Amino acid sequence: MSNTLGAYIDFIRIRFLTMLAYRVNYYSGILIYTLNIGVYYFTWKAIYGGGGELGGFTASQMTTYLAVSWMARAFYFNNLDREISTDIRDGSIAIQFIRPYNYLMVKMMQGLGEGMFRFMMLMIPGMAIAMLLYPVKLPTAPSAWAGFLVMLFFSFLINSQLNVITGLMAFFVENNEGFMRMKRVVVDLFSGLIIPISLFPSWLSGIMNYLPFQAITYLPGSVFTGRIQGASIWSVLGIQVVWFVILLIPMVWLYRASRRRLFVQGG
């Protein structure tokens, strides 16, 4: 058991070191994310005009929400779906399946290693730069910080689960490029990254309450901006936990079904 756990930890370390070798890409990523925040900041600044509230957000809260949401994306984002799809198409997944570890656990550990690198090298410095450029207000309540950091980890887990599920679809459609593109657009839009869910039409925001996307960006961002406080923080954390457990079902089912379906093309 300890040897197996150590092997999984090694996958985290190896992915972290691999990302470190290409850290210049993430310096440019800081610039890109900061520019994204700037575009949305000036857009919403024009929309708010003289002030007031929109969807329960003040202009100040919206600025903070935009900054923390984009920088949180820097942590939870990964390409596990594309990695799994590539393993399936080139046949290397057959070798992965016979090795003495769980393939899904390996991918999640690799994603965590990448996320840890992104947290240290992209999210933290990017947030610091955003605070210098835009009027971002950090929470003062310790419960907001604790709740946000725990929820940020579950954002990674839920987003990674969606990526794994999308990647495993390559077993059944062979080329799931369309699924991956659609998934990325759906997650960015319906998670509240581009537009907070409270600004959606009432019928659509109601539907979002029954989907996992709000648990990725909107709920952690609402905690960070102070829209959700006190005991309510643990209620929304519970929503994330529930979705994490629910998404385990299709992920494990697809994994087991794919092992029975495996065939390799090419030489």
Side-chain angles (χ1 to χ4, degrees), residues 71-197:
M71 289 307 166
R73 184 182 187 272
F75 168 68
Y76 68 68
F77 177 86
N78 56 60
N79 286 308
L80 294 183
D81 50 353
R82 194 169 299 279
E83 292 178 19
I84 294 172
S85 179
T86 300
D87 287 346
I88 294 171
R89 286 201 301 269
D90 65 19
S92 61
I93 197 167
I95 303 299
Q96 301 284 350
F97 277 176
I98 63 176
R99 288 178 175 169
Y101 51 62
N102 183 282
Y103 178 73
L104 293 189
M105 278 292 295
V106 168
K107 301 314 292 184
M108 293 293 285
M109 293 301 102
Q110 290 176 336
L112 181 58
E114 180 176 344
M116 291 170 62
F117 175 86
R118 285 170 164 270
F119 182 84
M120 296 174 61
M121 303 297 291
L122 205 165
M123 181 179 173
I124 292 179
M127 194 66 182
I129 294 174
M131 290 173 59
L132 294 175
L133 297 177
Y134 313 112
V136 176
K137 293 185 178 180
L138 300 179
T140 56
S143 60
W145 280 105
F148 173 75
L149 291 175
V150 174
M151 294 183 73
L152 183 62
F153 178 67
F154 275 95
S155 295
F156 158 77
L157 291 176
I158 294 170
N159 184 67
S160 296
Q161 286 175 308
L162 293 173
N163 284 349
V164 169
I165 291 170
T166 306
L168 290 175
M169 289 298 296
F171 273 111
F172 305 92
V173 297
E174 296 186 27
N175 187 343
N176 65 338
E177 186 67 30
F179 279 107
M180 290 189 291
R181 292 181 180 180
M182 180 181 69
K183 182 270 306 175
R184 185 166 297 179
V185 172
V186 168
V187 169
D188 285 349
L189 178 60
F190 291 147
S191 69
L193 177 67
I194 299 175
I195 303 174
I197 292 177

